[in-house]
Amino acid sequence: MTGTTGVNSSAVADEKFLPPDAIVERAYVQGLPTYKELYELSLSDPDSFWSEQANILSWQKKWSSPICKYNLDVDEGPVHISWFDGAETNLAWNAVDRNVEAGLGNRVAFYWEGNDEGVERTVTYSELKSMVCRIANYLKSVGVKRGDDVTMYMALVPELPAAMLACARIGAVHSVVFGGFSAEALADRILDSTPNVVITASGAMRGPKPIPLKAIVDDALQICEGKGHTVQHVLVLEQLPFSDVNGSMKPGRDVTWREAVDSQPDECPVEWMPAEAPLFKLYTSGSTGKPKGVLHTTGGYMVGAMVTTKFVFDIHPASDVYWCTADCGWITGHTYVAYGPLLLGATQVLFEGVPTWPDAGRCWSIVDKYKVTIFYTAPTAIRALHAKGDAFVTRHSRSSLRLLGSVGEPINPEAWRWYYEVVGCGRCPIMDTWWQTETGAHMITPLPGATPLKPGCATLPFFGVEPAVLDEKGNELQGPCEGMLVIKRPWPSMMRTVAGDHKRFEQTYFSAYKGYYFTGDGCRRDADGYYWITGRVDDVLNVSGHRIGTAEVESALVSHPSCVEAAVVAVEHAIKGQSIYAFVTLMTGAEPSDALRKELISTVRKVIGPFAAPDVIHWAPGLPKTRSGKIMRRVLRKIASKEEDQLGDISTLADPSVVQQLVDLRGK
């Protein structure tokens, strides 16, 4: 997940926006010297620094020293990371019960805003606790115990984070799949984690579009059964306008929320879990076709989520209303919706819909309605709203806002400035956060009261994060430079493995540069020590904040009977950040046509989901390959971007004439 970009960074590297006095005065970290002092402490004495932060939360048993034990060098043995060894805690208890016991039971946990205006709910911390306990009791009633997997496929309703917390309460491992994935993609994730329980909803509306969630689950489970795994229980939340699900309910397997959950007791004891006990799996795309089950554990993730939420958003729970627009199907919705804010006892907005429904003023209407003070969204949404014009923003007050955030993909300086000047009226610092599904929490980010901002720049590392920049040979670079971004030591919220495939974990993140965590991103470091993320250096696309493996899209295209080979690259896109550009070689006898182009795009939509659909299908009689058969993707990127005058050396191609053929076929 790339949160910032180095695009045009040289032009804006000296442009700085200082923290406003009103922000500094109330900030937890006031001024750059204070940040630097705390940062140095976090590196020189991690036991003291992280113990102080962790002690804000509640632990049934405390940890032993040292606070972190690890090996990141594959040459020294298996990669392993552990934090807070010997400790026991429960994340759900810390996020919910702890707040109720502190007298905050009547504080609003969620203001829920439905897809359509006027559809809304308010959930207090006491009500959330009851909801979590009832779901947990249902899960226990069907045999779910600590360590078991539970898959969720829902829209962003309060029941989704509550179900995640219910799993954490009883020690089950949740896997949330974004409700935009297809049946085939959902089946892949279920087959990998093999749950006995799937939690879903009858359906949801996304803007004007109905999403038949239960029907997609039914199709996915049929695929799973054909491949040897049968899900025993499906829990269905009935949602308008899909409330009538009787015809689709499978007797003995499917049960509605009303009959299965609402009748459960609203008290449920917690399971005190070891700090390194698995908490959740979240599937992210890789450079192979098989999605990776990123595994996060309990104690370190809990501390990382709490600490970053506190310092990066400078949340003061008694007075702030926080809104992160992310879905819980992505890591942002895990750390900065379901967990981080609740661990602090904060009040937040949940929004089921899309920013442009029923018009492009919806976000700012919600900001005014709930007096939102902190707003965290993706550059895709920012660019889309920018394209609609300022009037949709300025007709709303937005006077409650004091802080803005950006997450999920590169934000270009132009969009940054619009966000800062038009949405924030020049008074709201932008926390432009770089981090990943794998990191679990913010890694390089400003702090509101401490960091001078540069448009489009990730700025400085968070506490305990020690980045480095390497050249292609693995040499560590000093001072201003450009190269590969790596991290030199573990941090609490770091992933622990790829579920069921530790070798893949080691190969993906630790084999390229021994002793370092390789982020997969390139970066530039300027004279101020600020980091500018320059984008992925592997075969992973980042479209509207969704990480998609090139191999996944290519596999979907090749599944069409007319396609024999496909190569996918990313090109810059004004709204999405990146869009998917596919070069397609057809079977002998198949003829290019607009109808076939639509079929191929439809196939990707069906196999992966609409968000992975290519914007361009470029007919390719052949692909530029080296003599060893490797596709030279940099050549394809140049052709797709109309930069064929910058191809560089193509002498290693087996057939250089392919390049001109592809240029000639562009746009046809």
Side-chain angles (χ1 to χ4, degrees), residues 240-255:
L240 295 172
F242 302 88
S243 55
D244 184 12
V245 294
N246 292 329
S248 73
M249 299 293 279
K250 183 176 179 178
R253 185 194 73 179
D254 300 350
V255 64

Side-chain angles (χ1 to χ4, degrees), residues 1-5 325-326 332 355-356 364 375-388 404-419 423 430-435 455-457 542-546 573-578:
M1 166 183 304
T2 306
T4 55
T5 180
T325 65
T332 306
T356 53
W364 322 122
F375 180 71
Y376 191 37
T377 195
T380 293
I382 296 166
R383 288 189 289 263
L385 295 171
H386 183 190
K388 297 290 186 181
L404 301 173
S406 174
V407 60
E409 58 180 298
I411 179 170
N412 54 300
E414 181 186 12
W416 190 100
R417 287 190 187 88
W418 181 82
Y419 195 30
V423 175
I430 298 174
M431 299 301 100
D432 189 0
T433 58
W434 174 83
W435 59 298
C457 181
N542 196 324
V543 180
S544 299
H546 304 158
H573 189 282
I575 302 298
K576 300 177 185 178
Q578 290 183 335

Side-chain angles (χ1 to χ4, degrees), residues 436-505:
Q436 303 171 313
T437 303
E438 294 88 343
T439 73
H442 299 144
M443 299 292 284
I444 301 178
T445 174
L447 298 183
T451 315
L453 306 176
K454 299 182 182 183
C457 181
T459 71
L460 297 168
F462 189 72
F463 304 128
V465 177
E466 188 175 11
V469 184
L470 306 183
D471 64 19
E472 290 186 357
K473 295 180 179 179
N475 299 310
E476 196 167 320
L477 304 174
Q478 303 300 321
C481 57
E482 184 166 358
M484 311 295 177
L485 178 61
V486 298
I487 312 296
K488 299 177 68 171
R489 65 170 76 190
W491 56 97
S493 62
M494 183 179 191
M495 72 180 290
R496 298 303 194 255
T497 191
V498 171
D501 196 348
H502 196 69
K503 287 295 183 187
R504 188 179 182 189
F505 173 64

Side-chain angles (χ1 to χ4, degrees), residues 23 312-314 373-375 401-405 428-431 448:
I23 297 292
V312 175
F313 299 118
D314 199 44
T373 57
I374 303 162
F375 180 71
L401 287 173
R402 67 178 189 86
L403 199 68
L404 301 173
C428 301
I430 298 174
M431 299 301 100

Side-chain angles (χ1 to χ4, degrees), residues 493-572:
S493 62
M494 183 179 191
M495 72 180 290
R496 298 303 194 255
T497 191
V498 171
D501 196 348
H502 196 69
K503 287 295 183 187
R504 188 179 182 189
F505 173 64
E506 293 177 329
Q507 179 67 29
T508 303
Y509 303 104
F510 301 97
S511 64
Y513 303 103
K514 306 295 175 58
Y516 299 95
Y517 167 83
F518 178 39
T519 67
D521 279 331
C523 80
R524 180 183 300 112
R525 186 169 56 213
D526 68 19
D528 292 323
Y530 278 32
Y531 290 84
W532 301 77
I533 308 301
T534 54
R536 302 297 299 175
V537 296
D538 58 14
D539 292 331
V540 177
L541 313 170
N542 196 324
V543 180
S544 299
H546 304 158
R547 285 183 61 189
I548 307 161
T550 56
E552 279 193 283
V553 182
E554 290 162 2
S555 296
L557 288 165
V558 173
S559 71
H560 190 284
S562 295
C563 177
V564 67
E565 190 172 29
V568 168
V569 297
V571 295
E572 289 189 14

Side-chain angles (χ1 to χ4, degrees), residues 153-175:
Y153 184 76
M154 305 175 74
L156 189 54
V157 291
E159 286 79 2
L160 176 52
M164 297 163 70
L165 289 159
C167 287
R169 189 175 197 87
I170 63 173
V173 180
H174 62 71
S175 169

Side-chain angles (χ1 to χ4, degrees), residues 46-240:
D47 280 50
S48 295
F49 179 86
W50 289 112
S51 291
E52 182 178 348
Q53 302 306 320
N55 278 323
I56 296 171
L57 300 165
S58 296
W59 303 78
Q60 186 76 352
K61 284 175 61 178
K62 287 296 180 72
W63 50 89
S64 58
S65 184
I67 205 163
C68 177
K69 301 170 186 174
Y70 68 95
N71 170 51
L72 304 186
D73 190 340
V74 292
D75 287 344
E76 298 294 324
V79 171
H80 66 87
I81 305 104
S82 68
W83 283 82
F84 306 108
D85 264 354
E88 290 185 359
T89 188
N90 184 281
L91 206 157
W93 196 93
N94 273 284
V96 182
D97 303 56
R98 184 169 135 267
N99 291 309
V100 173
E101 290 196 5
L104 305 178
N106 291 328
R107 176 177 288 176
V108 173
F110 299 127
Y111 290 116
W112 179 72
E113 183 81 5
N115 180 73
D116 295 324
E117 291 181 303
V119 179
E120 60 193 58
R121 291 162 60 191
T122 298
V123 180
T124 66
Y125 273 91
S126 289
E127 290 167 339
L128 178 60
K129 179 188 172 186
S130 296
M131 191 187 304
V132 168
C133 287
R134 286 195 293 267
I135 300 169
N137 284 323
Y138 161 74
L139 291 172
K140 290 170 68 174
S141 76
V142 295
V144 176
K145 56 188 182 301
R146 55 194 293 167
D148 288 349
D149 285 80
V150 176
T151 296
M152 301 169 194
Y153 184 76
M154 305 175 74
L156 189 54
V157 291
E159 286 79 2
L160 176 52
M164 297 163 70
L165 289 159
C167 287
R169 189 175 197 87
I170 63 173
V173 180
H174 62 71
S175 169
V176 183
V177 180
F178 173 56
F181 275 110
S182 68
E184 287 87 347
L186 174 59
D188 284 345
R189 287 149 175 81
I190 291 173
L191 287 167
D192 190 80
S193 60
T194 62
N196 280 324
V197 179
V198 171
I199 302 177
T200 188
S202 51
M205 297 296 296
R206 190 165 288 126
K209 183 181 179 182
I211 310 294
L213 296 170
K214 174 59 165 58
I216 294 170
V217 167
D218 289 342
D219 290 345
L221 296 190
Q222 188 171 357
I223 294 169
C224 290
E225 288 181 16
K227 294 184 177 181
H229 178 68
T230 299
V231 170
Q232 303 296 325
H233 304 280
V234 177
L235 175 63
V236 184
L237 178 69
E238 296 170 285
Q239 278 189 263
L240 295 172

